[in-house]
């Protein structure tokens, strides 16, 4: 059983690790876009596997963070994390608050990159459908 101090330390360490994971995720999503545009399926498969590993790590970390917040008596959401930060010694509050904000910025950026990559995939799918259906009469003719 962890003490309160150990649980708090583990929570903070998880946040630091998540920030690093989001930086890796950002880099992989940018690489994924390049590979999508190049239609490099071999390397894309490798990148997709790495992305799935990071997604799983982030999911596990978020679950752990929620459980830690609840065990420490806070709600398992952003408000609970803000309350947790406010209860830290003043000399640490600014640094941890900045870490949390940076982590959120990275998460939002990764979400935008992922959506952008999804749009590239969708456009490629439409082009392929047009190529495949090019020799067939349009449905509207009948």
């Amino acid at each position: 059983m962890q003490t309160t101090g150990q649980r708090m330390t583990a929570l903070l360490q998880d946040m630091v690790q998540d920030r690093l994971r989001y930086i890796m995720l950002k880099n992989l999503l940018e690489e994924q876009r390049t590979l999508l545009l190049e239609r490099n399926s071999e390397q894309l498969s490798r990148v997709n596997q790495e992305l799935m590993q990071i997604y799983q790590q982030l999911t596990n970390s978020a679950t752990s963070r929620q459980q830690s917040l609840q065990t420490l008596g806070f709600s398992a959401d952003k408000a609970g994390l803000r309350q947790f930060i406010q209860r830290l010694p003043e000399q640490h509050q600014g640094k941890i608050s900045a870490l949390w904000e940076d982590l959120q910025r990275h998460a939002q950026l990764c979400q935008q990159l992922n959506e952008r990559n999804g749009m590239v995939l969708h456009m490629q799918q439409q082009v392929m459908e047009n190529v495949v259906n090019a020799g067939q009469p349009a449905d509207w003719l009948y």
Side-chain angles (χ1 to χ4, degrees):
M1 180 106 189
Q2 289 182 325
T3 66
T4 299
Q6 290 171 327
R7 192 167 294 280
M8 291 173 74
T9 300
L11 181 64
L12 295 172
Q13 289 172 340
D14 281 347
M15 288 172 60
V16 170
Q17 287 299 312
D18 277 357
R19 183 181 173 277
L20 295 174
R21 287 181 186 116
Y22 274 113
I23 291 170
M24 290 177 7
L25 183 62
K26 177 185 108 22
N27 292 335
L28 284 170
L29 287 168
E30 289 172 345
E31 183 178 0
Q32 182 187 48
R33 179 178 172 83
T34 300
L35 295 171
L36 284 168
L37 294 171
E38 293 173 351
R39 296 185 184 97
N40 186 336
S41 60
E42 185 177 312
Q43 290 299 316
L44 191 56
S45 178
R46 174 194 55 82
V47 167
N48 288 342
Q49 288 176 352
E50 291 180 41
L51 285 169
M52 293 309 293
Q53 289 174 351
I54 293 175
Y55 287 140
Q56 187 60 52
Q57 291 170 344
L58 288 168
T59 298
N60 293 343
S61 182
T63 300
S64 175
R65 183 169 39 253
Q66 290 170 343
Q67 290 171 346
S68 292
L69 284 169
Q70 287 178 327
T71 301
L72 292 167
F74 302 100
S75 60
D77 55 14
K78 291 178 184 180
L81 190 60
R82 281 192 294 271
Q83 290 172 346
F84 165 74
I85 292 170
Q86 290 173 351
R87 296 246 179 111
L88 293 172
E90 281 190 42
Q91 67 267 25
H92 300 298
Q93 288 180 11
K95 188 173 185 176
I96 302 305
S97 183
L99 171 65
W100 174 242
E101 289 172 14
D102 192 49
L103 196 147
Q104 288 181 304
R105 273 193 302 275
H106 278 87
Q108 289 172 343
L109 175 62
C110 287
Q111 182 179 5
Q112 291 168 353
L113 291 172
N114 191 46
E115 289 172 1
R116 183 183 71 175
N117 289 355
M119 289 176 14
V120 169
L121 277 171
H122 181 70
M123 288 188 307
Q124 286 179 341
Q125 181 182 10
Q126 286 180 326
V127 167
M128 289 306 296
E129 286 175 4
N130 289 339
V131 168
V132 168
N133 295 327
Q136 299 174 0
D139 288 337
W140 60 269
L141 292 175
Y142 301 101

